[in-house]
Amino acid sequence: MKFFVDTADLDEIAEAASWGALAGVTTNPTLYAKIGGSLSGFPAHIQRICALVDGPVSAEATKTTRQELIAEGRELAALAPNVVVKLVMGAEGLAACRALADAGIGVNMTLVFSVPQALLAARAGARYISPFVGRFDDIAEDGIAQLGEIVDALSNYDWQNVGVAGQGLEVIAASIRSAQHVTQAALIGADIATVPFAVLKKCIEHPLTAQGIQAFEKDWEKVCQV
Ligand code: E4P
């Protein structure tokens, strides 16, 4: 499973990228609003993110109709070669996805919560599909089970030539809230997990690692005194 970081914060992205294990970034309007982003500053901000990572960067189109989404998607894709256009699931998003995929532009279909939605997004040529885990848990449903159903259902078919020629389809486990979610997403076989920076940092840690480091440091001090 690959790791994306789910943030629009440049410092977080730079730090996560410095670990050498980051494969991409996902943003959304909420994450951009959280860092105080403005409408006029959005294109330049996406370009800055794209320069920080060697991998796909999802930038979300915010318009409503398919024609508007296609135009916005083309503008976003022109910002940098690693931009992926994020579209929200729905009839307009599906239609725009097909048009953008036919134009060779990668789409990440977001706000996916069911197997039929995932199958439709894949048939419409999405390069990535983002089932949300945590938001199911928020309403007392099992987000990991839903993710598992989507991964299973998609694995019954060959998606190699459905989207942008030869690029295939990958499932991004999204709305990840804990290291436990990361474990479960990997066990299910999600291709990617997009993980908030704070959770990504937690994934590095383990109490036994911390304990082991302490013991090694203490013993090395003894060695230094001999
Ligand atoms: C996916 O790409 C989304 O940005 C994200 O995972 C949303 O998660 P949330 O439920 O934490 O807002």
Side-chain angles (χ1 to χ4, degrees):
M1 189 174 74
K2 289 179 272 190
F3 286 94
F4 286 5
V5 66
D6 196 24
T7 181
D9 185 305
L10 295 174
D11 292 338
E12 290 183 351
I13 294 165
E15 172 64 15
S18 76
W19 302 339
L22 190 70
V25 177
T26 50
T27 67
N28 65 33
T30 306
L31 294 170
Y32 185 59
K34 208 166 143 187
I35 58 147
S38 68
L39 181 60
S40 61
F42 186 63
H45 192 78
I46 291 296
Q47 285 174 322
R48 276 184 221 113
I49 296 176
C50 287
L52 285 174
V53 285
D54 185 16
V57 173
S58 290
E60 191 159 326
T62 54
K63 299 284 195 292
T64 312
T65 68
R66 64 192 69 184
Q67 288 82 5
E68 290 171 326
L69 288 169
I70 294 164
E72 194 183 0
R74 284 179 178 278
E75 282 173 20
L76 290 171
L79 292 175
N82 50 339
V83 165
V84 166
V85 178
K86 212 189 216 192
L87 296 173
V88 297
M89 182 63 201
E92 297 310 298
L94 287 172
C97 179
R98 170 45 62 203
L100 291 171
D102 287 348
I105 295 171
V107 169
N108 173 3
M109 191 64 81
T110 191
L111 292 175
V112 170
F113 292 92
S114 73
V115 171
Q117 285 182 323
L119 289 167
L120 285 165
R123 287 289 163 209
R127 169 75 181 86
Y128 302 98
I129 295 178
S130 292
F132 279 39
V133 173
R135 291 195 196 183
F136 264 120
D137 295 3
D138 293 345
I139 58 162
E141 288 189 36
D142 188 345
I144 286 293
Q146 294 287 344
L147 172 68
E149 284 188 6
I150 288 171
V151 169
D152 277 359
L154 290 172
S155 73
N156 289 331
Y157 309 97
D158 177 18
W159 301 103
Q160 207 50 40
N161 297 308
V162 179
V164 179
Q167 287 192 357
L169 169 72
E170 289 182 290
V171 173
I172 305 177
S175 187
I176 292 289
R177 302 276 158 78
S178 64
Q180 178 66 4
H181 273 165
V182 172
T183 301
Q184 290 167 313
L187 289 172
I188 278 167
D191 302 292
I192 299 155
T194 190
V195 185
F197 182 70
V199 177
L200 209 50
K201 275 210 306 200
K202 288 241 179 290
C203 291
I204 295 177
E205 298 159 7
H206 193 280
L208 292 177
T209 305
Q211 220 180 81
I213 289 171
Q214 245 186 0
F216 285 152
E217 282 176 355
K218 224 170 120 197
D219 290 336
W220 194 244
E221 271 171 33
K222 289 182 204 156
V223 170
C224 292
Q225 278 154 20
V226 175

